[in-house]
Structure formats: structure tokens, C-alpha cells
């Protein structure tokens, strides 16, 4: 009996270790894996995101002057990104995404009314989410949030560094309207470690942990049952 208990315990530890390793191979938590994003990309992209978040905050409070200043700083940071360290495929991908961000930002800085700025911010957010999906999360805790009532119930997304919703499309009018679609997490397919593999996906908050727990419980039950049958 003691032998069976020890062996089952060892099997459970082995499953837990393998499950954790496989989970990290698929979806990596961005703070721990920031060094694995595209070479030179991480530190350069952080100022871009910082200015984006300042723009979001300005729209939350309805400060058009700060929104204009943050837009200009965002566009400057995008223009200063050095992509020479990227491989050819990712360099081409960023040139497309970066051009989209620059064009939208150039339009945004000309807007003076809060309504116009918020419309342009919607376009900027879509382009920025697409860029982060293509290029990977640069080591920051980022969430994609959604307001279903923005722009006559069309709905609109934005990026946040917090899971607490503050709505940049309505501000004080409906400050807490919205939901968290998920985290932007770095994705690395099994067995692939090249730059090409580094992407981000919107992963529902807690999904990886729940999947890992379900997998562990299922595998533990199967192995325990098999061991019991063989030792009867």
C-alpha cells in the first residue's frame, strides 16, 4: 500500500511539471518572457504604449489638449522605432502596421473636438491591437476592453494596462461601461523558438490557468485509475 501511495505521488508531480511546461510553451505570461520578444522591439515599443495610455486617459477625462499632445508623442515614438533587428518577414509586417498607426495618428492630432478625437482613437486602437497581435506583447500587462454602446451601439475596443474598465469613448457619461475581452499574451507554438513564432493573442482572463487545472485533473484521474487496475 505504501509503495502504491509513493508511486502515485511521483506520477502526480511528473504530470504537474509536464502540464506547466506545455502551458508555458503555448501562452507565456508577458512580464516573465519579455526577453523573448523580437530583438530590440521590447524597449522601443514601451514608449509607444505609454503615450497610447496617456491618450486613453485624456479621452476618459475629456481633456482635448492632453489628447492632442499624447497623440503627437505617440506618432513621434512610432516614427523613431528602429526595426533593423527584425527579420525580413517581421520587418515587412511592422512597416505595414507602423504606417497604419502613423497615418491614423497624423489624422488624430488635427482633430479638435472630443467627439472627433474619440472616433480617431477607435481607429488607432484597432490598428494598435493588430500591431501587438502581429509583433507580440513587449513585456507589459495589457488587456483589450470593449464598450458595446460606443458609436450608436456599434461597439469599440481599446487597450488598457489594468483589468478595471474606464471608458475612453464616454468618459464621465458612462465611465464604467464595458468589459474585459482578455489579456494580450505572448504566444509561442510548441517546438518553435524563432522570431517568426512570437505573436500575441487576446486570451480570456484566467483561461490558461483553468485549462491547465482541468488537464491536470483529467490526467491525474486517468493515470490513478490505470495504476489501480494494474496493481489489483
Amino acid at each position: 500500500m505504501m509503495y502504491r501511495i509513493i508511486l502515485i505521488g511521483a506520477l502526480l508531480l511528473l504530470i504537474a511539471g509536464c502540464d506547466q511546461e506545455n502551458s508555458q510553451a503555448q501562452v507565456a505570461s508577458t512580464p516573465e518572457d519579455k526577453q523573448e520578444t523580437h530583438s530590440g522591439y521590447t524597449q522601443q515599443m514601451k514608449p509607444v504604449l505609454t503615450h497610447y495610455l496617456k491618450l486613453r486617459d485624456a479621452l476618459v477625462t475629456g481633456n482635448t489638449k492632453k489628447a492632442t499632445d499624447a497623440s503627437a508623442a505617440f506618432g513621434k515614438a512610432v516614427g523613431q522605432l528602429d526595426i533593423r533587428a527584425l527579420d525580413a518577414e517581421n520587418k515587412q509586417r511592422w512597416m505595414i502596421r507602423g504606417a497604419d498607426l502613423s497615418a491614423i495618428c497624423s489624422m488624430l492630432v488635427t482633430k479638435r473636438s472630443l467627439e472627433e478625437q474619440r472616433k480617431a482613437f477607435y481607429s488607432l486602437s484597432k490598428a494598435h491591437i493588430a500591431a501587438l497581435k502581429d509583433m507580440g506583447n513587449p513585456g507589459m500587462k495589457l488587456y483589450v476592453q470593449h464598450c458595446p454602446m460606443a458609436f450608436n451601439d456599434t461597439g469599440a475596443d481599446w487597450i488598457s494596462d489594468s483589468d478595471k474598465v474606464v471608458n475612453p469613448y464616454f468618459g464621465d457619461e458612462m465611465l464604467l461601461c464595458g468589459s474585459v475581452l482578455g489579456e494580450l499574451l505572448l504566444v509561442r507554438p510548441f517546438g518553435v523558438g524563432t522570431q517568426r513564432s512570437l505573436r500575441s493573442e487576446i486570451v480570456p482572463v484566467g483561461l490558461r490557468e483553468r485549462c491547465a487545472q482541468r488537464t491536470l485533473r483529467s490526467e491525474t484521474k486517468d493515470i490513478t485509475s490505470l495504476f489501480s487496475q494494474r496493481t489489483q
Side-chain angles (χ1 to χ4, degrees):
M1 175 63 71
M2 182 60 67
Y3 172 76
R4 290 177 60 187
I5 294 174
I6 293 174
L7 185 54
I8 291 174
L11 287 169
L12 293 180
L13 288 174
L14 179 61
I15 294 170
C18 292
D19 184 76
Q20 181 179 13
E21 181 180 351
N22 289 340
S23 176
Q24 291 175 346
Q26 285 182 303
V27 182
S29 176
T30 52
E32 292 79 5
D33 292 286
K34 60 185 178 182
Q35 73 276 9
E36 296 192 34
T37 53
H38 303 292
S39 178
Y41 169 78
T42 299
Q43 294 304 318
Q44 293 186 76
M45 197 61 183
K46 284 184 177 179
V48 176
L49 280 159
T50 296
H51 295 307
Y52 172 90
L53 294 172
K54 287 181 178 179
L55 170 58
R56 177 211 59 188
D57 290 344
L59 295 177
V60 167
T61 60
N63 192 318
T64 56
K65 172 64 167 60
K66 286 186 177 180
T68 299
D69 292 343
S71 300
F74 178 95
K76 182 178 180 180
V78 169
Q80 290 176 341
L81 277 169
D82 183 356
I83 62 173
R84 288 177 295 179
L86 297 177
D87 61 27
E89 180 182 345
N90 284 300
K91 189 177 295 184
Q92 181 64 29
R93 182 177 285 111
W94 173 251
M95 288 177 67
I96 295 171
R97 297 302 185 190
D100 288 343
L101 291 172
S102 295
I104 297 169
C105 194
S106 296
M107 175 186 65
L108 204 162
V109 296
T110 67
K111 305 302 182 184
R112 292 295 177 260
S113 75
L114 185 59
E115 181 181 0
E116 289 179 324
Q117 288 180 337
R118 284 172 169 165
K119 286 181 179 179
F121 177 74
Y122 169 47
S123 298
L124 185 70
S125 295
K126 288 196 298 182
H128 204 173
I129 291 169
L132 288 170
K133 281 185 172 183
D134 270 355
M135 305 302 295
N137 182 327
M140 297 175 68
K141 194 78 168 177
L142 297 174
Y143 300 87
V144 175
Q145 300 179 343
H146 177 77
C147 172
M149 299 179 66
F151 309 115
N152 297 319
D153 297 332
T154 300
D157 298 339
W158 70 95
I159 302 166
S160 177
D161 56 347
S162 169
D163 60 356
K164 301 294 188 278
V165 172
V166 285
N167 194 314
Y169 299 111
F170 285 105
D172 289 341
E173 186 180 348
M174 286 192 290
L175 185 62
L176 303 181
C177 177
S179 61
V180 179
L181 295 182
E183 282 186 74
L184 272 168
L185 294 180
L186 190 67
V187 172
R188 297 194 310 277
F190 285 118
V192 181
T194 63
Q195 284 189 354
R196 192 179 213 172
S197 69
L198 296 170
R199 298 289 180 267
S200 286
E201 293 296 338
I202 302 173
V203 179
V205 177
L207 176 63
R208 180 179 61 174
E209 290 77 9
R210 293 196 298 273
C211 288
Q213 289 171 1
R214 284 198 297 269
T215 300
L216 178 59
R217 285 196 297 267
S218 176
E219 292 182 355
T220 299
K221 181 179 178 181
D222 291 343
I223 290 182
T224 302
S225 175
L226 178 62
F227 180 80
S228 298
Q229 293 173 9
R230 291 183 176 179
T231 54
Q232 285 178 352

